[in-house]
Amino acid sequence: MKISLQRIAGTTAILLLMGVCIWVSFNYLVWFLPAQPSTRDIALADLDGDGDLDAFLANGRNEIPEPNTVLLNDGHGGFQDSGQKLGDFESWAVAAHDFDKDGDMDALVSNISWGEYFWNEGDGTFLRKQSIFFPNTDGYYVGLWRFKAADLNDDGRVDLFLNGCCGGGVPLSDGEWQTINAFNTVWLGDERGLPGYTGQKMGLGNSEAVELGDLDGDGDLDAFLANSFHLDEMGEAVHRAPNEVWLNDGQGMFVDSGQKLGDESSQSVALGDLDGDGDLDVLIGNRGPDEVWLNDGLGNFIDSGQTLGRSFTRFVYLADLDGDGDLDAFMGGNTMGRIWLNDGYGRFKATNQRLTYSRYHAVAVGDVDRNGTVDVIAARLDTATVWYNDGTGRMGDR
């Protein structure tokens, strides 16, 4: 069989062109898409003092600076960009509190290597900022991922529970490397609203999220850690790390309860009384099936056996969405959120609703139109989409 040189040359050219297209597409996916500006977290709070919920957005784009933004509510659930561009770093999480005790809501944003306070002028304008570094006591910074702000030692001041990020290797004097896992830390607020490190190190590794609540019924705030991975001795990531419960002694010092819960790679967590027995249960968002763990009242958790969905879950929120008095769930994935309704006993059933957004949006829930029902908001940079609740758990636009 004779094959012409022309045909061989044509085939080669086509293969080369295909290879170039694949290479360009791969680099586009690896570099360009992840570098798109994203909103990683939303804090809903009354920022301008007019009685409705505004939105402070923590923004970033794959190790590239992206300023944070503020969206102001018109009182009916419509959001407008305030025009503020706050910060010059890649941000991951935000919490709104009156950190300086002057009567308005300030914001604290995590930027992987440090945090930034943005002080509110009282009308939703943030004119001052203050950076605070969160090093550890080993002289090696393992990173700041997410955090929660609350009064952990009952002194009336806002404290911080920080999720350590990532971990890494530390060079030793003999040329070898030591692997250090990320750990969680507690910082107690002072009279200026600024935190100081307590010296605690908590957790098995990379905690993607923490939720604070009185888990053992003793009146203080304990911590439930949603863990995703830890590093082995060679520095390789070991996924599907178990979640942990750390109990507060009332002074902001935490003790490991010894519980190791689940074997998924967890991304998010929410606390609430799911089965109506008066204690705080846990809903965990995972890379795989989401889980419900029920509290025995003493801070010990038992797997309910439920698996809610099977996809990646970035956001988990609990609220009474259908007005029947129990806590339902909004579970937000990369590009779609779903609503699960509670039967009052901690058993959840999915609805057929699909709320879609892009991977560059963050999602939050709150009564943004002030009608007594909990709505869903997805925001990115300077715009927001709101799904308004009709009171029965049905979400729609206007």
Side-chain angles (χ1 to χ4, degrees):
M1 180 184 295
K2 294 183 178 179
I3 301 176
S4 70
L5 293 177
Q6 242 181 355
R7 180 177 296 180
I8 292 174
T11 302
T12 302
I14 291 172
L15 292 174
L16 286 173
L17 181 59
M18 289 175 62
V20 169
C21 290
I22 292 171
W23 183 85
V24 170
S25 299
F26 173 79
N27 281 274
Y28 177 83
L29 291 171
V30 170
W31 297 107
F32 180 74
L33 279 181
Q36 291 296 297
S38 301
T39 294
R40 269 71 177 272
D41 194 20
I42 303 172
L44 292 179
D46 184 6
L47 302 178
D48 55 4
D50 64 355
D52 54 41
L53 294 178
D54 309 299
F56 194 109
L57 310 185
N59 302 321
R61 59 158 108 184
N62 194 29
E63 301 185 5
I64 298 175
E66 185 66 38
N68 306 300
T69 49
V70 175
L71 307 184
L72 297 178
N73 192 338
D74 63 7
H76 305 286
F79 288 84
Q80 298 294 326
D81 182 17
S82 70
Q84 301 177 72
K85 306 298 181 186
L86 305 171
D88 304 306
F89 305 100
E90 180 190 23
S91 299
W92 283 95
V94 58
H97 277 275
D98 184 7
F99 289 102
D100 55 5
K101 298 294 184 181
D102 65 351
D104 54 42
M105 299 298 285
D106 310 300
L108 174 61
V109 176
S110 66
N111 299 316
I112 293 295
S113 297
W114 59 86
E116 280 188 301
Y117 286 96
F118 294 95
W119 305 110
N120 195 341
E121 295 297 299
D123 61 355
T125 303
F126 296 83
L127 296 182
R128 298 172 297 133
K129 73 176 182 179
Q130 184 170 1
S131 296
I132 181 165
F133 289 84
F134 297 112
N136 68 39
T137 54
D138 295 328
Y140 177 80
Y141 184 75
V142 293
L144 168 60
W145 189 246
R146 300 188 184 276
F147 68 97
K148 287 292 181 181
D151 184 0
L152 299 177
N153 59 350
D154 197 29
D155 66 353
R157 299 167 183 165
V158 181
D159 310 308
L160 303 177
F161 194 109
L162 306 183
N163 293 139
C165 167
C166 312
V170 177
L172 303 177
S173 58
D174 59 1
E176 297 294 322
W177 285 74
Q178 176 185 356
T179 297
I180 292 183
N181 269 291
F183 49 82
N184 304 282
T185 58
V186 170
W187 298 67
L188 299 180
D190 63 15
E191 64 279 359
R192 300 166 298 166
L194 299 177
Y197 180 39
T198 64
Q200 300 176 72
K201 298 180 183 180
M202 294 166 285
L204 289 172
N206 198 78
S207 296
E208 296 281 348
V210 61
E211 196 64 38
L212 302 173
D214 185 5
L215 302 180
D216 55 2
D218 64 353
D220 53 41
L221 295 178
D222 309 302
F224 192 100
L225 299 179
N227 297 326
S228 61
F229 69 88
H230 67 278
L231 302 179
D232 62 18
E233 293 181 356
M234 303 301 295
E236 298 294 327
V238 178
H239 293 278
R240 303 167 70 94
N243 303 305
E244 300 170 90
V245 175
W246 288 73
L247 301 176
N248 191 344
D249 68 356
Q251 302 300 312
M253 298 298 292
F254 288 79
V255 177
D256 187 2
S257 71
Q259 299 177 74
K260 302 293 181 276
L261 308 176
D263 61 356
E264 296 288 342
S265 178
S266 298
Q267 308 294 310
S268 51
V269 59
L271 299 178
D273 183 6
L274 303 180
D275 54 3
D277 64 354
D279 53 41
L280 293 178
D281 309 302
V282 180
L283 179 58
I284 305 170
N286 296 319
R287 283 187 175 272
D290 303 322
E291 300 169 317
V292 176
W293 291 73
L294 300 178
N295 193 341
D296 68 357
L298 300 175
N300 303 304
F301 290 86
I302 301 169
D303 187 358
S304 72
Q306 297 177 77
T307 54
L308 312 184
R310 294 189 174 278
S311 59
F312 181 93
T313 299
R314 293 167 58 197
F315 309 100
V316 174
Y317 295 101
L318 292 171
D320 183 6
L321 300 177
D322 57 2
D324 65 354
D326 55 42
L327 293 177
D328 309 300
F330 176 83
M331 316 286 283
N334 266 335
T335 58
M336 182 185 71
R338 297 189 68 183
I339 291 171
W340 294 73
L341 298 181
N342 190 346
D343 67 358
Y345 300 96
R347 294 186 292 265
F348 289 85
K349 182 178 180 180
T351 70
N352 59 6
Q353 297 181 76
R354 305 287 190 275
L355 309 184
T356 59
Y357 42 85
S358 82
R359 61 181 288 194
Y360 307 111
H361 285 77
V363 181
V365 303
D367 183 8
V368 300
D369 57 359
R370 296 192 293 183
N371 70 346
T373 62
V374 177
D375 312 299
V376 177
I377 174 176
R380 182 192 181 198
L381 304 183
D382 56 5
T383 60
T385 298
V386 178
W387 292 274
Y388 303 94
N389 192 343
D390 68 359
T392 69
R394 295 293 305 178
M395 304 287 174
D397 54 14
R398 291 177 179 169

